[in-house]
Amino acid sequence: QKALYGWNSGTCCIMPRDAKLDSAQLTELETSAIKHSSVATWLALLQRVTAPAFTTIWRWRIGDLLVWDNRSTMHCATGFDRARYVREMW
């Protein structure tokens, strides 16, 4: 199954799965302020897949269990109060 992996603002280049990067190339991509032209594709896709039609907001209740497949699901945490709650992740 095809998938894209990246971060909202941290993606600097889209590369084929079998692309080989040496450490110098990786450092250059991570530290330069220049984004590769392929990032426009990522940002266009990101805008679509994060639209309300494709998102779920989970309002936790006692006893809830939420499971997803990290290989093909986008997810993020928001507004967690560490002072009031214990967050367990496996």
Side-chain angles (χ1 to χ4, degrees), residues 13-26:
C13 185
I14 297 174
M15 306 196 63
R17 174 180 278 188
D18 59 348
K20 304 292 184 212
L21 290 176
D22 63 33
S23 64
Q25 291 170 310
L26 185 56

Side-chain angles (χ1 to χ4, degrees), residues 3-70:
L4 284 174
Y5 300 92
W7 297 305
N8 291 351
S9 62
T11 300
C12 55
C13 185
I14 297 174
M15 306 196 63
R17 174 180 278 188
D18 59 348
K20 304 292 184 212
L21 290 176
D22 63 33
S23 64
Q25 291 170 310
L26 185 56
T27 298
E28 176 65 24
L29 286 171
E30 289 180 336
T31 60
S32 73
I34 299 168
K35 291 190 180 210
H36 189 269
S37 60
S38 62
V39 174
T41 301
W42 173 251
L43 295 176
L45 290 170
L46 190 63
Q47 186 175 14
R48 176 165 170 73
V49 301
T50 58
F54 301 108
T55 60
T56 297
I57 297 173
W58 194 264
R59 302 206 190 284
W60 291 97
R61 295 182 304 214
I62 293 174
D64 281 355
L65 172 67
L66 183 63
V67 178
W68 63 82
D69 182 346
N70 278 348

